[in-house]
Every structure is written in structure tokens, then in C-alpha cells.
Amino acid sequence: MRRIVLFISVSFCFVQVNYGQFIFPKSIEREHPRLISSKVSKEDILQNIENSKDVKQSYEAIKSKISKYVVQYKTDPEWLSSRFQMYWNSHATDVYVDGEFYSHAKGKAPVPTVRFTGQRDYVTDYNTPNLEDLKPYFEDDRGLFLQHKKTKTWEWVKPSKTGRIIENTNEKIMRIARDAALVYFIEGDADYAKLATHLFDVYMQGLYYRNEPIDMQKGNVQNIIGLTSFQVIKENIVDELTQCYDFLYHYIQKEHKSENEIYATSLKKLAEIIIKNGVPDNNWNLHQANFVIQIALVLDEDKMYADSKGCQYYLNRIFNESEARQWSVKDVLDYGYNQDNGVWNESSSYALSVAKGYTHLARTLQNALDIDVMQFMPVIPEAVAVMPQYLYPNNYIVAFGDSHYGPLETEPFLDLVANAQQFNNREQEETFTALLYMLQDKNQGEHKRNEKNSIHDILHNTKVHLDESIEPADKSDFMTNSFYAPTVSWVAMRNGLSSKHGLMVSQVGSLGNHAHSNGIAMELYGKNYVLAPEGGRGSSYFRPDYKDYYSQFPAHNTVSVNGKSQYNKMRSYYPFEVKRLYPASERKTGYYPNINFSDIYFNEPSTNSDQNRVMSIVRTGETSGYYIDVFRSKQNEGKDEYHDYFYHNLGQKLKLTSENGAFLNLVESSKLTSKAGNIKAYDYLWDEVSTQTNNTLNATYNLSIEGEEQVHMNMWMQGNENREIFKVKSPPSEAFRHGMIPKNIEEAPLLTTVVRQYGEAWNRPFVAIYEPSTTSEPSTIKQVDTFGSPSNKSFVGLKIESLQDRTDIVFSSDVIGKYAFQNINFNGTFGMVTSEENKTTLFLGAGKSIEKDDFSIQILGKKSGAATLVYGNNMQLTCDDVMLLTVPDTYKKGEVVLTFGFKQFRGERLKMNGKNVVSFKVPAMNFQEISIGLK
């Protein structure tokens, strides 16, 4: 068998590889069916059915569902086919839609034609009827006769209100045809072939005479519409049609050869419209490609058709030719992926599904034709290897944009292992086997794709035998403390990988596809759960709750300006700027491990406002730690009416108190509404109460889950003049769909605090500390105080005292400047000094220098850098740039040296501010122990 040949030309001038075209075999030697694995024979299938209880049960389950229709076909051959949703009377050829809704159809074909679906949105108030409830040959000007979901009454409904019931009904019937064709292929029973062929014939004859629908609005719908569905990516019936044809291929050639041209033409018509319409540069491209590849694989060779458009033709178009709405595989991979880190330019769920889609695409081709296309898509293994970066410590993915929390699917890893084994790529096999073992128990046993049932596992050869000699990968190599994906304007910071004790914050801007209008939004994790979640997408992209709320600022943990912050959602072009990130993205070793820090800037375009969010994770012990959130916001023209800080948390009870523990005097209010001048998203908040106060706010969000100890998120927020605190409820997060939390909590309103700063919020920023805790591991912070700077009103100083006899002094500034507190001097934008019983830590996150008790670290040659010094019983040091380390001179006469590893650096003994010190010029170095003493 011939394999794909790739011609590669290397341009040395530009140091990049330019890939030539994929060259597909001139002849397709594989017999039908081609959509199952070439490694599986009919004899293998029969043997597995006989010898495997699971396979036999799943196969018999398929037969039992369709056998009654096979029997029925003998006496009433049109009972099932008459339930197809067709233009039975009108034989319409031309469909007209009014934007996203069906309008009417006209034209006259010689046979009944396939009916077009009702609307683009899948959400409808009506149930999809059982086949037994459908009337035969049904076409009525009154619409469809359906049962209302709530009232249970049957009523006439216009197609434009029926969602995708029409296309779903047709797919349900074609699924029966596909399964009957499968049974025929396995057993050779002609009765099953007759039923399947009849259903296939009725539908394909009806498709043959149908034309591409016309949008009367001449809008974007015309660019994405399919032959049977409003979106080409929802032409799901292609799966059943191609599989049915594939299993019936030889039967059709023998018994219905005269109809074969109609069948092939109908399939090609589907392919042409799928290629012509759609979206070329996001996940749509992949879905479109997969449909066309399935069609290509069941078609004959090019030479068998008068138009020379067969298997090779369509494979070539998908892989090598870029068209207006369907780019080539290479072009879309080059455009959509960050070639450095493998992140796709869409929100998390979509990005992960795209990588999974491409591994599946490659495996489909290697199973069908024994060709390896993965070797020519080098970014896809990178995209799979980066997947663990999306994980929280509980192994659920982040959910920014239109995403959902859920476990990381293992199919892409298995696909890459299978690919490596089939084409002898040992390095790839080791990498992704190790990752699989990292993600799930190595001793789990059988590893396979999540196919529908055991018979499908056999057909598609899904089982992958993993090499048990390979050890699991180290999580810290694939889930780094910091990760930045500029492709989607996303930053993740994590500290610890334990589900219960790990800490993680996810921050996102608005860049790429399926993004939201959310400013600098964040998610917070603690004690096994995403406690401050994203809101998800709502009930549907086409429903008001998505447009008006879930995609807007008030649904996120962010800051809205003047109640007006609102810009393009879905496809968005508003990234944030990462000014500082510690440790550096994807750095695996050599950094100070107990503090993460990010400094992010965003220009909110709709109000022309500057926003700066500084966040930090502070690890205070193996089981404890907290988050710092400093959010500055101002309107650039001085038109600051108010800035609203939104925070949403899981739970059943929210307690708001003042610094002395007294409950806030909250009264009913109605300021968070569109009537008050805010965007419509504010109307989705309810049970609004508020109070105006300049004092510190303490909030406790309590989450109770049956059978588990209580989880709390403890919030402290600095008070300020002209501030109002709101306690409200907000809609449930639609991002929870995969069992992370019980359904009753998943569907409960989110506990929400809105803090409104009247006027600007740059010099009076929102300053919050969040500490997750449980009943057995209570909060460790006992006191928080603040200090300021007369030279910079936007400066934030915090003194955080913990129960472990620990004090953290935090410095945060929007500009590099010199600041002092007690016996500490700091020059920079972010730093921290930690004092514990037997050690002190100087953390310079971003700045020039930090000093305490005559110990100091100073960056040389740059305005700002990062360094950390720990001193006490022993000393530890790290710096990203050349620095000057100064320590008190307590040594006897002689030469003082600093030693780490096998290196020594001579110190300079000086007198500074009347005190004797020793200074060392130290190169950039990983975090490690050092010693200072006489040579």
C-alpha cells in the first residue's frame, strides 16, 4: 500500500520549514467498509462476538433495537421510511430561511425531498416525538404536531420554534439504517440489507434534488448554512449516511448499482456545501474536514467518476487546498495554534476538543488507509502534551469563555500512542504513555477510546496496549507553577498539585474564539473545588441569557466600569498585557516555590479605561495558603462614575461582617439594574441588599456538600471612602456539567458580592485577600492591616499576620518606586517580606531592590528583575539577573566568600549607613542553598 509522501523544502534564510503538499495514493486499494479499522476482519468480529460477553451483549443490543423494524419491513416496507421528515407532498427543492429560522420552501422535484430543519438554536419548548408518535408521510402547512415539554399537551407548532427536531428525527431513522447495514455486513443477512438500503435510498433520493438553502436576510447565515442543518458543522447525519453506505457498498453494487450515481452525487453535494460554507479559522474547520473525510473515504477513486471527484479529490481539497470558508489542514494549524506551546486560539473546552479532533482525524486515516498524516502535523502532539496545563489540582480543566469544567479526556493520548506504535515512533510512544499513566492509574488495565459500546471498540480497533515498562510522567513537568498562553490571553498560576491543598488561579482576557466580554476575569481554586467559578455559556448561544448575561462582565469575577463595560463576545480581539509573571511561564525548576505573582494590564475598550490586576498565591504551609488580589481601574478621560468589583462563589450561605465581626446593616436596594443605567446583565442579579461603608469588609462563603466537611472561602477586603457593598444572588454557573459538584449545588444561585467604588478606583483600588479553609483546616490569617505611601496614592501595602507566628509584608505599586515600612525598604512594583520564627524571606517579584535588617538584594543593570533571599538558620538564594547581595558583616578578619555548589564569589566588606556589611555580585542562579563565611 502506498503512503502519503511529503515534499519538504527548507528555507535557510528564514530558518523555517515550508511543508509541501500531501500526496495521496493514486489508487485506493482498501476494500469497503473503510470507516472501520483495516486491522479488523469480519472473522475477527464474529470471533469476538462469540468469545466476548461484553461484545456479544453490545452487538445483541444493537440487533434487538432494530430487529422489529426488519420484521415490520417485510409486511409494511414503508412504515419506517414514511416517518422521515420530508417534503412528502410538495417535493420542494428550494428552501428559504429568515436568518436563523425556517421560512418556507418551494420548487418541485420528481420525488419527496429532505425537509430542512426548523431553527439554528437547538433549544425548544417541545419534545422530539418517538417514531411511533409520528404520522406517516407528514407534511402540513400548520407545521409540526408536537408535545409541549411542560404542559404535556400536543399542539401545532411552526417549524421556526422546533429547534432541531426535524434533523434529529431524520438522524434517528438513519441510525437504524446504519445499524441494520452493520448487521448485514457482519452476518450477511439480506433482510437487514433490504431495510437499510430502502431507508438510505429514500433519504438520498430526497437529498439529490435539494438545493442549498437561501437566507432571505442575505446575512451571515448564508455563509454557514448546510443542506439539512443551519450550520454545516451540525450535518451530523453525515456520520450515519457514510457508515450506512460503507457497510452496504457491495450490496448496493450488486443489487442497486443503477442508483449508485445518485447516492454518490448526494454525498458529494453534502461535501461541496460543507466546504463552501462554514468558518475557516476555528473549530468549525475541523468539524467540516471530518465530515468531508468520511465522505471521501466511502467514495470510489477519482477515475470512477465522470467529474473525477472521488476519494483522492476530496482528501486533497481538505489537506492541501485553502478555500474561502475551508482552509487546508496545514493552513488552519499554522494559524490557529501557537507553534511554541501548542495552545489553540479558542476557549479551554474548545481548544482541547480541537486537539482531540485532529488526533481522531489522523487515526481515522491510519485505520482506513494505513497512512500516517500525524507526522506532518507536528503541532498536534504539542497540543496534546500541553493539555495538563489546563488542569486544576482536582484534575478538572479551567472553564474560561464558553467552556465547561470536566476531566481531561484520554482519547488524544491514546490516539498518539496508537499512531506511534503503528508507525514505529518510540519517542512519541514513551511520551504519551507516560502522560497517560500520569493522568490515570497505571494499573487500570484496559485503555481505549470512549466508543459507544464494545462492538464499536472492535470495529475501530480502539484498544491500545500500553507498555508497562514506561514510568508515569512527573506532573510538575506538565503542570507548571505558571503558564501563559498569549494565543487566548490566559494565565494560570498554581501552587501545589494536591487536590485538597493545592492552590490555583486562572485569569483570562478576551482573545480568540468563544471568548467573553469579561475584562481581566479570574477563577479561584481551594480545598478540592473551583470555589470562584466562571459562569459558562448559559442555556444556548442563541438564548437571551447567553447574550445578555453569561457572556458579560457581571457573570465574571472582574471589574466593570460605570456599569457600561461591554464589548464583542464570541470572536474577541481584546487581550491583556502580562507585565510580570513569576515564576516565568513553563519554568519547571530553580524558582522560589512559595510565592506566585502576576501583574496584568488591560484597556477596557468600551469605556476606554485602564485596568491593572495584580494577583499572588502565597503558600504559608503544606496545607495552607492564600490569594492576594489588587485591582486598579480608572476611566482615561476622568469620567469615573463608579467601578464594580464582582466576586461569585459556590455555596449556600454568605456572611458579610465588619472588621470587628459585626454583621453589616444591609438594606434593600435597586442600583444594580439596567433602569439605573447599567447594561442589561445587571438585571440577572436578584435579592439585592447593600450598605455604604468605608470600613474593611470580611466575607465568608460557606459550601456544604453531603458527606464532606464544610468548605469556606474567607475574604478580606480593604475599606475605602465612597464605597458601597452589595450582597446579591446571581444565576448558577453553567460551567459545571461533569460531576465536580452535586447537581443541587450546580443548579443553585452563586453567592455574589459586588463592591462599588464611586469615582475612580485606581488610587482607591480594590484590595482583597482570599483564603480557602475547611472545618478541619480552619483559616490561618488572624489579622490584616494596611499602610500607604504619601508619594503614590495607588500604592498598596499589606501586613498579614498568621496563626503560625508568621507575618507577611506586601508591597504593590503601579509604577516602580521607593517605599518603606518599619525597617523594610523596597524599590519596585511587587515585593514581599515574610518573617517567621526561625527565618526571613525577601521576595522581590518585580523591582530593583528590597532590604531588611541590613540584608538586601539589588538587581544590577536592569530597572526591574526578580530575586529571593531566605536567611535564618541557613540561607537560600535565587535571582533571574545579575544582582548584588548584601548581608551584615559579622565575620572575623579575612576574605569573606559566598559559596554555592562548587562556585565561590568574593565579598566586598563595606560600611553602609554606619554599619558593617559584606556585598557580593552574584550571577543569575536557580533557587538553592548558599553559605557565607571566611575563605
Side-chain angles (χ1 to χ4, degrees):
M1 181 170 293
R2 301 184 185 182
R3 294 184 177 179
I4 294 180
V5 178
L6 185 73
F7 296 102
I8 303 178
S9 62
V10 181
S11 173
F12 293 98
C13 297
F14 299 99
V15 197
Q16 74 179 47
V17 177
N18 297 315
Y19 296 102
Q21 288 194 327
F22 294 102
I23 307 299
F24 289 94
K26 292 182 179 179
S27 63
I28 305 298
E29 299 174 10
R30 172 83 190 278
E31 285 291 328
H32 292 271
R34 297 181 190 145
L35 293 177
I36 65 173
S37 173
S38 61
K39 310 297 182 186
V40 178
S41 67
K42 187 183 297 187
E43 290 70 26
D44 293 331
I45 299 169
L46 289 169
Q47 190 173 21
N48 273 280
I49 292 172
E50 182 178 349
N51 298 332
S52 169
K53 181 179 178 182
D54 289 342
V55 175
K56 185 175 183 178
Q57 283 182 344
S58 71
Y59 178 65
E60 292 298 334
I62 291 173
K63 281 190 69 175
S64 66
K65 288 181 181 178
I66 62 173
S67 58
K68 64 179 180 180
Y69 298 113
V70 175
V71 173
Q72 184 185 56
Y73 180 76
K74 295 178 181 179
T75 58
D76 190 358
E78 294 190 356
W79 188 93
L80 186 54
S81 62
S82 67
R83 268 65 183 176
F84 271 128
Q85 299 301 290
M86 311 275 283
Y87 296 109
W88 288 107
N89 303 321
S90 65
H91 296 194
T93 57
D94 302 311
V95 169
Y96 294 84
V97 299
D98 187 8
E100 296 178 345
F101 303 93
Y102 175 84
S103 175
H104 65 282
K106 61 182 183 180
K108 188 72 174 179
V111 297
T113 52
V114 175
R115 189 168 189 170
F116 191 73
T117 202
Q119 64 184 104
R120 186 178 179 188
D121 190 1
Y122 61 86
V123 177
T124 176
D125 294 331
Y126 300 90
N127 292 316
T128 299
N130 296 320
L131 295 180
E132 292 74 17
D133 293 328
L134 292 169
K135 295 182 179 180
Y137 311 109
F138 182 78
E139 182 184 4
D140 194 298
D141 291 340
R142 290 173 292 182
L144 277 66
F145 195 63
L146 301 172
Q147 184 184 46
H148 196 280
K149 289 178 179 178
K150 292 183 178 179
T151 66
K152 304 303 179 183
T153 59
W154 289 80
E155 54 191 77
W156 288 101
V157 188
K158 291 294 183 184
S160 58
K161 295 183 179 180
T162 62
R164 298 175 185 165
I165 287 176
I166 291 171
E167 59 186 294
N168 291 343
T169 299
N170 286 340
E171 188 179 8
K172 183 190 296 186
I173 296 172
M174 275 310 306
R175 199 171 293 125
I176 294 170
R178 186 270 316 278
D179 289 345
L182 169 63
V183 173
Y184 164 72
F185 165 68
I186 294 174
E187 298 185 15
D189 188 333
D191 287 342
Y192 285 86
K194 289 174 184 177
L195 171 65
T197 304
H198 172 65
L199 295 173
F200 183 75
D201 180 74
V202 170
Y203 192 88
M204 296 303 274
Q205 295 274 357
L207 207 60
Y208 180 83
Y209 292 99
R210 271 281 323 283
N211 297 319
E212 178 184 347
I214 298 169
D215 178 17
M216 298 186 299
Q217 293 185 10
K218 298 181 179 180
N220 185 56
V221 166
Q222 191 67 69
N223 298 324
I224 62 172
I225 204 163
L227 194 57
T228 71
S229 181
F230 268 94
Q231 302 176 151
V232 290
I233 62 167
K234 295 300 179 182
E235 291 281 24
N236 298 328
I237 202 167
V238 167
D239 294 344
E240 287 77 22
L241 293 174
T242 53
Q243 292 162 22
C244 186
Y245 184 63
D246 204 24
F247 288 130
L248 290 174
Y249 181 82
H250 294 293
Y251 181 84
I252 289 172
Q253 305 312 308
K254 182 180 178 181
E255 304 291 340
H256 299 274
K257 191 173 180 64
S258 61
E259 306 300 325
N260 201 43
E261 183 178 350
I262 285 179
Y263 302 157
T265 302
S266 296
L267 288 170
K268 290 195 277 186
K269 180 182 288 188
L270 277 167
E272 291 294 336
I273 294 177
I274 289 169
I275 292 171
K276 175 180 177 289
N277 296 335
V279 183
D281 59 351
N282 63 24
N283 68 88
W284 281 53
N285 185 292
L286 166 68
H287 296 304
Q288 293 165 228
N290 269 320
F291 284 145
V292 178
I293 287 171
Q294 288 183 75
I295 292 170
L297 289 175
V298 302
L299 290 174
D300 287 329
E301 298 177 312
D302 292 352
K303 64 184 180 183
M304 300 300 293
Y305 300 105
D307 61 3
S308 298
K309 295 179 179 180
C311 178
Q312 299 99 319
Y313 172 81
Y314 284 106
L315 289 177
N316 180 68
R317 278 184 75 179
I318 288 301
F319 279 88
N320 294 323
E321 296 182 8
S322 284
E323 303 180 35
R325 297 196 165 273
Q326 182 65 32
W327 292 353
S328 70
V329 168
K330 178 195 177 302
D331 285 349
V332 75
L333 293 182
D334 285 348
Y335 174 83
Y337 274 109
N338 182 318
Q339 304 298 314
D340 294 326
N341 63 17
V343 173
W344 177 257
N345 65 354
E346 298 192 68
S347 63
S348 48
S349 293
Y350 282 86
L352 297 174
S353 70
V354 166
K356 175 186 173 183
Y358 277 109
T359 65
H360 179 67
L361 176 153
R363 194 167 179 185
T364 297
L365 284 168
Q366 74 191 46
N367 280 345
L369 302 179
D370 195 31
I371 57 178
D372 181 15
V373 296
M374 184 58 70
Q375 62 181 314
F376 309 129
M377 301 189 291
V379 76
I380 296 303
E382 289 186 44
V384 176
V386 82
M387 285 181 174
Q389 295 283 18
Y390 288 86
L391 290 175
Y392 279 106
N394 64 357
N395 286 336
Y396 281 76
I397 66 167
V398 297
F400 59 85
D402 295 326
S403 296
H404 302 105
Y405 299 110
L408 198 59
E409 297 182 275
T410 58
E411 283 90 337
F413 302 90
L414 289 167
D415 286 342
L416 288 173
V417 173
N419 173 268
Q421 292 175 346
Q422 186 166 338
F423 299 107
N424 301 313
N425 186 338
R426 181 59 180 175
E427 182 180 357
Q428 179 175 302
E429 180 184 2
E430 290 177 348
T431 297
F432 293 97
T433 301
L435 273 167
L436 272 167
Y437 287 153
M438 181 190 84
L439 294 169
Q440 59 187 28
D441 185 4
K442 181 177 179 178
N443 300 315
Q444 176 177 302
E446 191 175 83
H447 296 267
K448 60 187 180 180
R449 291 185 64 93
N450 290 325
E451 291 289 347
K452 299 172 184 176
N453 50 50
S454 296
I455 188 65
H456 283 87
D457 291 334
I458 300 300
L459 292 172
H460 300 287
N461 193 29
T462 63
K463 292 182 183 178
V464 181
H465 299 284
L466 301 184
D467 185 343
E468 295 183 0
S469 70
I470 298 172
E471 291 300 315
D474 187 339
K475 277 190 174 184
S476 62
D477 285 338
F478 293 90
M479 300 168 67
T480 54
N481 266 32
S482 296
F483 184 73
Y484 172 42
T487 314
V488 287
S489 192
W490 170 53
V491 165
M493 296 190 297
R494 54 174 66 83
N495 198 293
L497 298 174
S498 158
S499 178
K500 185 173 183 181
H501 301 129
L503 298 168
M504 180 169 164
V505 56
S506 172
Q507 298 177 85
V508 69
S510 302
L511 182 65
N513 201 39
H514 286 282
H516 286 182
S517 170
N518 55 227
I520 310 172
M522 72 157 181
E523 305 167 57
L524 292 181
Y525 178 89
K527 305 303 181 185
N528 297 313
Y529 297 103
V530 182
L531 295 175
E534 278 277 10
R537 72 179 189 189
S539 59
S540 163
Y541 294 129
F542 313 103
R543 293 279 152 165
D545 64 346
Y546 169 74
K547 174 186 173 184
D548 295 335
Y549 178 72
Y550 281 102
S551 63
Q552 302 300 328
F553 272 69
H556 301 81
N557 300 312
T558 189
V559 170
S560 172
V561 181
N562 297 340
K564 301 289 196 303
S565 293
Q566 186 178 41
Y567 50 78
N568 291 347
K569 62 185 184 306
M570 185 59 76
R571 182 68 70 98
S572 198
Y573 302 93
Y574 303 106
F576 52 47
E577 173 192 350
V578 178
K579 298 169 67 177
R580 288 284 177 178
L581 182 62
Y582 187 87
S585 179
E586 299 184 76
R587 185 173 180 178
K588 297 177 182 179
T589 59
Y591 53 84
Y592 177 64
N594 293 333
I595 298 175
N596 303 65
F597 146 71
S598 65
D599 187 346
I600 292 173
Y601 166 80
F602 181 71
N603 176 259
E604 199 287 279
S606 63
T607 60
N608 185 24
S609 298
D610 283 340
Q611 296 191 321
N612 170 227
R613 190 165 212 164
V614 176
M615 295 202 72
S616 179
I617 305 175
V618 181
R619 171 66 63 181
T620 59
E622 290 186 7
T623 64
S624 60
Y626 61 85
Y627 302 96
I628 299 172
D629 184 21
V630 178
F631 204 125
R632 302 176 177 92
S633 184
K634 65 178 179 181
Q635 204 282 327
N636 281 319
E637 297 167 357
K639 299 177 181 178
D640 298 278
E641 297 177 33
Y642 47 84
H643 297 253
D644 290 334
Y645 178 100
F646 286 90
Y647 180 75
H648 310 75
N649 204 96
L650 289 179
Q652 294 91 349
K653 293 182 180 180
L654 168 58
K655 181 174 69 173
L656 301 181
T657 62
S658 61
E659 194 169 17
N660 61 12
F663 285 98
L664 296 187
N665 184 24
L666 300 168
V667 298
E668 289 188 13
S669 62
S670 56
K671 297 179 180 179
L672 304 180
T673 64
S674 60
K675 290 181 180 180
N678 304 298
I679 62 172
K680 198 169 183 179
Y682 281 73
D683 292 336
Y684 283 77
L685 310 176
W686 75 96
D687 283 358
E688 177 186 331
V689 290
S690 71
T691 185
Q692 294 193 11
T693 177
N694 301 337
N695 298 325
T696 295
L697 168 68
N698 288 307
T700 304
Y701 304 81
N702 295 321
L703 171 64
S704 297
I705 296 177
E706 187 175 355
E708 298 183 17
E709 62 178 338
Q710 275 203 342
V711 177
H712 315 281
M713 179 62 92
N714 307 283
M715 173 196 193
W716 172 95
M717 179 170 276
Q718 179 185 13
N720 238 316
E721 295 180 356
N722 298 320
R723 185 163 283 188
E724 187 165 4
I725 311 297
F726 296 85
K727 178 182 177 182
V728 297
K729 290 178 182 175
S730 59
S733 169
E734 289 284 338
F736 291 104
R737 292 191 179 182
H738 297 280
M740 185 197 300
I741 55 177
K743 199 164 188 64
N744 64 316
I745 298 173
E746 182 181 306
E747 296 176 348
L750 290 175
L751 305 175
T752 304
T753 303
V754 183
V755 180
R756 173 167 288 183
Q757 180 65 54
Y758 290 99
E760 55 83 23
W762 192 272
N763 294 326
R764 296 171 297 177
F766 302 100
V767 182
I769 295 172
Y770 296 93
E771 184 185 21
S773 65
T774 63
T775 305
S776 64
E777 296 172 348
S779 171
T780 63
I781 296 175
K782 66 178 181 180
Q783 179 69 32
V784 181
D785 295 302
T786 63
F787 59 93
S789 169
S791 62
N792 183 2
K793 292 183 179 180
S794 69
F795 171 80
V796 171
L798 297 170
K799 180 181 179 182
I800 305 165
E801 297 178 80
S802 299
L803 294 172
Q804 307 103 313
D805 194 21
R806 169 191 173 116
T807 301
D808 296 326
I809 307 297
V810 181
F811 299 82
S812 174
S813 174
D814 58 329
V815 294
I816 293 179
K818 295 181 179 180
Y819 307 98
F821 179 71
Q822 296 178 346
N823 58 342
I824 302 170
N825 292 296
F826 171 72
N827 183 359
T829 56
F830 188 83
M832 186 181 303
V833 175
T834 297
S835 300
E836 298 175 85
E837 183 178 0
N838 56 2
K839 66 179 179 180
T840 299
T841 302
L842 306 183
F843 175 77
L844 183 64
K848 187 69 175 175
S849 63
I850 191 166
E851 180 261 331
K852 181 182 188 293
D853 297 333
D854 299 324
F855 287 86
S856 71
I857 48 181
Q858 178 183 348
I859 302 298
L860 299 176
K862 286 186 175 182
K863 290 184 178 179
S864 181
T868 304
L869 170 67
V870 181
Y871 61 90
N873 293 339
N874 53 25
M875 297 182 73
Q876 296 168 295
L877 182 68
T878 179
C879 52
D880 293 344
D881 300 286
V882 178
M883 61 161 282
L884 190 68
L885 170 65
T886 302
V887 301
D889 189 350
T890 60
Y891 307 97
K892 296 179 180 179
K893 289 185 178 181
E895 185 177 353
V896 183
V897 295
L898 180 152
T899 303
F900 64 89
F902 297 104
K903 297 181 180 180
Q904 284 192 339
F905 296 89
R906 182 183 301 172
E908 183 180 3
R909 308 182 83 155
L910 305 167
K911 187 176 286 287
M912 296 178 62
N913 300 320
K915 295 182 180 180
N916 294 323
V917 297
V918 185
S919 292
F920 302 89
K921 187 176 181 181
V922 183
M925 60 181 290
N926 287 337
F927 186 62
Q928 59 190 290
E929 287 199 7
I930 63 171
S931 62
I932 299 175
L934 294 175
K935 186 172 182 180

